[in-house]
Amino acid sequence: MANIREIAQRSGVSVGTVSRYLNGIKVRDANARAISRVVEELDYRPNILGRALTKNKSYTIGVLMSNAGNVFVGSSIGRLEAELERVDYSALFIDFHGDVDVLMHKIRFLRSRLVEGIVIFSSEVDAQCLEALPQLDIPLIVVDNPMPHSEIDSIVVDNADSTKRVVSAMLDAGHQRIGVIAPSQTTYVGRERLVGWQRAYADRHAEAYKGDIQICDSTKLGGYRAACQLLDQGEVTALFACNYYMALGALKAVNERGLRPGSDIGFASFDDYDFSDVMFPPLTVIRQPMEEIVDLIIEMMRQRLQGDRNDFGTHMLTCDVVLTDSIHAQLAPQ
């Protein structure tokens, strides 16, 4: 197995230069290219365990998920693991099943395993429950909930603004009654997406009917039942589903009634995950910036691990709103 001395000899540089390069410290470009070439030729893999013992570091990041089966989390963790491996870190993934007590227990567990940082995916957790998060001596990043703590980073997307943009486009298309299928209002994400629907009406001084709001579980079945309720009332001419699973359930209800999005009923949803273009016309969707979220997690974690104590707070990313003909429909109630 190759070692640092062999890499140094083949690269024509000192052992110290190789060590600095492998530990992420900048060296001269020519030396970096030579070392990189030899590392690849020898298929060198650093001894993480040995390095951890030498430096008293675990080179591990704990990743806590409120629901590992959630498509939002699933679309993030693969890239997150790959990006952590790129900087010689491993990830320890744990599902806390949306239970805040379990979350606190798992944080203690991760600290006992000497992880150097923790990331929490918390879209299905009440933001107020997260106020009990302890102040840790390691970096902590929360995804999908803004945090009030002075030394906890959080990442959110523009849930309200992007929802408002889509619902506004539906109102501009002539719809007056747009049924909204929204998640629990105990969660930050659920509240913000419903606020976006409300703001679209308020900005146009249009009347928003409470009966056009359906709050339900963030599941396919929840979306199906909510859509059935809205469609069977016979008043709405369009539907907006607030997440991927709700959209699937709502589309099932639409299809059962022989309706076609973009022709018989307007339709749009938050989230995409590569399914919207299987419909014709393709569905109007709000796409979350998944790559940006992961890249920001990595960059923020890197800064915190290096001791940067500046700019703690909530970082908001912008979603991509994709408007299509699916928001159009004949405007008589079904």
Side-chain angles (χ1 to χ4, degrees):
M1 180 181 293
N3 56 41
I4 290 180
R5 289 186 178 278
E6 185 175 356
I7 294 171
Q9 184 177 15
R10 292 198 182 197
S11 305
V13 301
S14 70
V15 171
T17 299
V18 175
S19 178
R20 288 194 297 275
Y21 172 84
L22 293 176
N23 283 287
I25 301 172
K26 184 173 178 57
V27 300
R28 285 190 296 179
D29 290 343
N31 290 341
R33 288 193 296 270
I35 296 170
S36 176
R37 183 178 65 252
V38 173
V39 165
E40 186 173 351
E41 289 174 356
L42 297 177
D43 193 26
Y44 174 76
R45 296 292 182 269
N47 185 340
I48 300 297
L49 179 59
R51 186 169 61 165
L53 292 172
T54 300
K55 296 190 173 185
N56 195 28
K57 296 175 68 174
S58 68
Y59 292 95
T60 303
I61 302 297
V63 181
L64 293 162
M65 305 161 287
S66 58
N67 179 1
N70 183 291
V71 67
F72 171 79
V73 175
S75 64
S76 303
I77 59 177
R79 178 176 173 82
L80 179 58
E81 182 176 31
E83 289 301 303
L84 286 171
E85 287 181 350
R86 189 176 60 82
V87 293
D88 290 335
Y89 271 78
S90 61
L92 180 56
F93 295 99
I94 297 177
D95 190 338
F96 63 91
H97 310 291
D99 188 317
V100 176
D101 290 335
V102 175
L103 170 63
M104 301 305 172
H105 170 73
K106 295 303 182 182
I107 289 175
R108 292 191 294 271
F109 168 82
L110 289 172
R111 290 300 291 121
S112 73
R113 295 302 185 271
L114 302 180
V115 298
E116 295 183 41
I118 294 176
V119 179
I120 303 175
F121 286 89
S122 62
S123 60
E124 299 175 13
V125 177
D126 185 343
Q128 290 185 340
C129 293
L130 295 177
E131 293 180 3
L133 282 175
Q135 292 280 3
L136 301 176
D137 58 352
I138 59 172
L140 176 59
I141 300 173
V142 175
V143 181
D144 260 352
N145 265 302
M147 298 303 301
H149 293 295
S150 59
E151 293 193 354
I152 295 179
D153 290 297
S154 57
I155 300 172
V156 298
V157 300
D158 61 338
N159 292 284
D161 285 348
S162 54
T163 297
K164 187 182 80 169
R165 288 172 60 190
V166 170
V167 177
S168 294
M170 299 173 91
L171 291 169
D172 291 343
H175 298 286
Q176 295 180 359
R177 302 285 297 273
I178 302 167
V180 59
I181 302 170
S184 168
Q185 295 301 286
T186 66
T187 66
Y188 169 80
V189 168
R191 290 193 298 270
E192 285 292 290
R193 293 179 187 177
L194 182 56
V195 163
W197 178 87
Q198 294 166 331
R199 286 179 182 169
Y201 276 91
D203 284 358
R204 282 157 177 72
H205 304 289
E207 184 176 3
Y209 293 86
K210 289 185 178 179
D212 294 344
I213 301 172
Q214 286 289 317
I215 309 296
C216 63
D217 294 337
S218 297
T219 62
K220 180 179 175 181
L221 179 59
Y224 171 76
R225 288 174 173 170
C228 288
Q229 182 74 18
L230 290 166
L231 294 171
D232 293 345
Q233 287 173 0
E235 300 294 335
V236 301
T237 60
L239 294 176
F240 179 80
C242 284
N243 77 13
Y244 169 78
Y245 297 104
M246 292 173 167
L248 292 180
L251 287 171
K252 178 183 177 183
V254 166
N255 290 334
E256 283 182 351
R257 286 154 179 77
L259 304 176
R260 178 178 168 184
S263 176
D264 305 307
I265 189 166
F267 195 93
S269 78
F270 210 109
D271 295 331
D272 180 14
Y273 306 117
D274 204 28
F275 87 103
S276 61
D277 61 354
V278 304
M279 307 287 292
F280 185 81
L283 298 179
T284 291
V285 292
I286 299 169
R287 291 177 180 157
Q288 299 198 56
M290 307 309 301
E291 291 189 3
E292 280 188 69
I293 291 171
V294 172
D295 290 347
L296 184 55
I297 291 172
I298 296 296
E299 178 60 20
M300 289 166 58
M301 187 63 70
R302 183 190 65 80
Q303 291 179 7
R304 300 304 178 221
L305 290 171
Q306 291 179 351
D308 187 341
R309 313 295 292 176
N310 298 316
D311 300 324
F312 283 100
T314 300
H315 304 257
M316 182 175 289
L317 299 177
T318 302
C319 294
D320 184 19
V321 172
V322 182
L323 297 174
T324 72
D325 287 341
S326 77
I327 62 173
H328 298 290
Q330 53 185 314
L331 298 178
Q334 302 302 312

